[in-house]
Structure formats: C-alpha cells, structure tokens
Amino acid sequence: MRLHEAKEFYGIIAFATVGGVLLNFTGVDPIRALLWSADINCVIAVPIMAVMLRLGTDPAIMGSFAIRSRLRNLGWVATALMGMAVGAMFAAM
C-alpha cells in the first residue's frame, strides 16, 4: 500500500470512529439507526445490482470475462426478487 493510500485509509477509519463516538452523545437510538441503514441498503441494492449486471454482460467493457447467459439470468432473477422484497417492505409500512 502506498503511503498516501494508507493515510486516506486511516483517515476514513478515524473519521468513522469519531462519528461513532459523537453519535453516542445524541438522542439517536442505535438499533433504530441500524434498521434504517438496512432499509436504505435494501432499496439501493436493486439499482446497483441492475447496473452491475448491465456492465457485467457488456463484452465491450468486460471483454472475455463478460457474464454468460445462465449467470446473467440468475442475476436478473436475484434482482427481481430483491425488487419484490423492497416492494413488500414498502407495502408493510
């Protein structure tokens, strides 16, 4: 690891640690924050999965490592299932 990369890495770790310590002094319930972060990650995962599948199947980008049809189909099934889970989450709210 190069020196500037190490500084950036440890800077991010320090920033996150200080943020976590400061969060302890607020009125934020940590379990509620954890649940909110899981909900946000669930919603964001669907478009990220779709974009990654589009990029992964493009031979102009991936060359000989492009995803073949079987894995592509499984990826779209997983993306659709994740989308349905997001829909069910919003329906349950």
Side-chain angles (χ1 to χ4, degrees):
M1 185 180 293
R2 296 184 184 137
L3 184 58
H4 75 279
E5 290 173 342
K7 288 180 182 179
E8 292 170 357
F9 173 77
Y10 287 115
I12 291 170
I13 296 296
F15 179 76
T17 301
V18 169
V21 169
L22 293 176
L23 194 60
N24 283 325
F25 297 107
T26 66
V28 175
D29 177 20
I31 300 302
R32 185 173 294 284
L34 186 63
L35 291 174
W36 271 104
S37 69
D39 291 345
I40 292 168
N41 284 333
C42 179
V43 172
I44 292 173
V46 177
I48 290 174
M49 289 172 70
V51 168
M52 294 302 291
L53 277 166
R54 294 293 305 261
L55 293 173
T57 57
D58 190 353
I61 295 171
M62 296 300 294
S64 63
F65 298 105
I67 298 172
R68 305 237 190 271
S69 63
R70 180 176 175 213
L71 188 56
R72 182 191 66 223
N73 292 338
L74 286 172
W76 284 116
V77 167
T79 304
L81 288 172
M82 188 64 132
M84 288 188 287
V86 170
M89 179 184 73
F90 282 124
M93 290 179 141

